[in-house]
Amino acid sequence: MKIKGFAMLGIGKTGWIEKEAPKCGPMDALVRPIVVAPCTSDIHTVWEGAIGERTDMFLGHEAVGEVMEVGELVKDFKKGDKVIVPAITPDWGDINSQRGYPMHSGDALGGWKFSNFKDGVFAELFHVNEADANLAHLPEGVDPVSAVMLTDMTTTGFHAAELAEVELGETVCVIGIGPVGLNSVMGANLKGASRIFAVGSRPNSIEVAKAYGATDIINYREGDIVEQILAKTKNIGVDKVLIAGGNVDTFAQAIKILKPGGAIGSVNYLGSGEFIKIPRVEWAVGMGHKRINGGLTPGGRYRMEKLASLVETGKYDPSKLITHRFEGFDKIEEALLLMKDKPADLIKPIVEIKW
Ligand code: NDP
Ligand code: ZN
């Protein structure tokens, strides 16, 4: 059977293609998407060639779907179940998973399979490895449109706060307030940060940043963010910096605004640039205990269930991130191109699909 999907044809090239349908292994599932969202990572992958050449690979790694088939060893899911599909679907028996890094199962970034090592979710049907460990039931009362944010935006943004180990009462600066950085603001807030500086410029994002707990907005287009933050903190800086935007030079700024003993949690996908430069003096000539942690988000079932519980209990509302809604499978291309162009009023687009 052939299935249709929206694919990366090569670096800088996309299009609709048909491919042979995936096969379901004994522990796996085949899922049909009901809500999908394009990601800034798709843009780095296609238009910056950030992870190298990929040919005729279906794009997309953010989906809520309906199970169409399960392998004979799958226990907790059956045909017709509505599921949240995490962007990161590790091989849970792998040695890196056992070391505590399932997102790197197999190899660095190996848990990120969709639209990286295998066909993504912008297809009529897609394959999920280890269904019992990598799918989460969509809880009753949680809107699938909200739930699709959990698959990547929420988990990634929150992970920046985890990487920096944000603690009660700390001051935090979040650099970048696209959909990922906004979740870093929310993540820092949920972990108990006090003052939260949010760095960005788009008005919609600023509004959501405030709703998610930002206390101060810094516009990087209106002056150096280092000067602005130091001025607002009596030259002391902040306890933690979360990076969810900018480029390789952003790390130098982060080091400059970080207190000794502070930490950077970065989830930014660096699409270009050879090296990250760390300023020697502001890194306290190498002895400042200023830690730099960069990571791919965790994935899998348990992570999705925990995040969904925050939505179910009303502690977190991901629907604030959605600024553009499309209907119909064929609208995926338009939504992805919108992500590439990033109009000023965009935070995150979604596509609802009725079959
Ligand atoms: P967006 O492009 O929507 O947001 C980027 C943000 O960074 C915007 O707020 C933008 O400001 C701001 N920004 C841009 N340039 C600068 C600068 N020079 N200095 C300070 N701020 C700047 O991206 P997303 O939120 O969708 O994604 C963020 C990153 O996370 C991407 O690189 C993405 O690929 C990555 N990612 C990583 C994952 C992981 O697991 N590690 C998973 C998913 C995504 P403005 O308001 O002006 O636009
Ligand atoms: Zn993504």
Side-chain angles (χ1 to χ4, degrees), residues 23-30 69-77 127-132:
K23 302 257 176 313
C24 190
M27 295 169 72
D28 306 342
L30 298 182
E69 186 180 335
V70 291
E72 69 261 26
L73 298 179
V74 174
K75 295 194 288 279
D76 291 345
F77 296 88
H127 169 266
V128 180
N129 56 299
E130 298 185 32
D132 280 325

Side-chain angles (χ1 to χ4, degrees), residues 277-293:
K277 290 191 184 147
I278 304 303
R280 183 181 59 85
V281 172
E282 287 89 348
W283 205 38
V285 293
M287 298 185 283
H289 293 94
K290 296 190 181 187
R291 288 161 289 145
I292 303 171
N293 290 328

Side-chain angles (χ1 to χ4, degrees), residues 1 3 19 33-34 63 87 94-95 123 142 151 162 196 209 212 226 253 279 301 327 348:
M1 183 182 81
I3 54 162
K19 291 175 89 160
I34 50 179
D94 181 78
I95 203 75
V142 173
T151 63
E162 292 167 327
I196 303 177
Y212 280 177
V226 176
Q253 296 175 308
R301 174 180 182 166
E327 244 187 75
K348 189 81 178 177

Side-chain angles (χ1 to χ4, degrees), residues 54-116:
R54 299 285 189 273
T55 312
D56 295 349
M57 174 187 72
F58 290 143
L59 286 165
H61 50 256
E62 300 181 16
V64 168
E66 181 180 345
V67 174
M68 302 305 284
E69 186 180 335
V70 291
E72 69 261 26
L73 298 179
V74 174
K75 295 194 288 279
D76 291 345
F77 296 88
K78 58 181 190 321
K79 189 174 184 317
D81 284 352
K82 298 278 192 326
V83 286
I84 306 173
V85 187
I88 306 301
T89 52
D91 301 311
W92 289 93
D94 181 78
I95 203 75
N96 281 348
S97 300
Q98 295 189 26
R99 287 173 57 231
Y101 297 94
M103 66 290 275
H104 303 301
S105 65
D107 202 351
L109 312 184
W112 171 26
K113 297 179 191 299
F114 295 126
S115 72
N116 183 8

Side-chain angles (χ1 to χ4, degrees), residues 138-142 312:
L138 177 71
E140 246 177 67
V142 173
E312 275 184 289

Side-chain angles (χ1 to χ4, degrees), residues 39-41 44 152-153 156 175-181 199-202 220-221 244-247 267-269 295-297 339 342:
C39 177
T40 306
S41 299
H44 294 304
D152 191 8
M153 298 300 93
T156 299
I175 304 181
I177 47 167
V180 173
V199 179
S201 78
R202 284 179 264 160
Y220 68 97
R221 295 174 195 267
N247 51 43
V267 288
N268 207 13
Y269 175 171
L296 177 68
T297 181
M339 210 62 188
K342 294 251 156 85

